[in-house]
Amino acid sequence: MKKPLLPLIDEDGEVRELTQEDMALFRPAREALPAALYEGLASLKNRGGRPKSVAPKIQTAIRFDPDVLAALKATGRGWQTRVNDAMREWLKARG
């Protein structure tokens, strides 16, 4: 005769540690969920993150004097974007 399974939640509302017996009862989501729900969830997979950029930025290395870099970083978050914008303005001014 099988021994009865313990409740997953104790008197305090805490989830207990799962046992090997608990894990043996696990089934793949495809088997456990209604087909429509599973397909809906599966279609959401790999949609995370930001959208692909039409013109993605290119990573490069540039060397700054220590005082210049410290001053740029001291301006706070977004300093690299501001350097990019400043370079764009410089290029426009140059013609």
Side-chain angles (χ1 to χ4, degrees), residues 67-83:
D67 59 323
V68 172
L69 183 59
L72 290 169
K73 287 184 173 183
T75 65
R77 288 178 58 100
W79 68 269
Q80 291 170 320
T81 300
R82 288 189 294 279
V83 168

Side-chain angles (χ1 to χ4, degrees), residues 5 16 24 28 36-37 47 59 67 69 88:
L5 292 176
R16 67 173 170 77
L37 176 59
R47 285 193 161 169
Q59 182 175 352
D67 59 323
L69 183 59
R88 181 173 283 115

Side-chain angles (χ1 to χ4, degrees), residues 16-28:
R16 67 173 170 77
E17 188 172 335
L18 297 176
T19 65
Q20 290 297 325
E21 292 82 21
D22 294 321
M23 291 188 206
L25 297 174
F26 286 4
R27 296 182 305 173

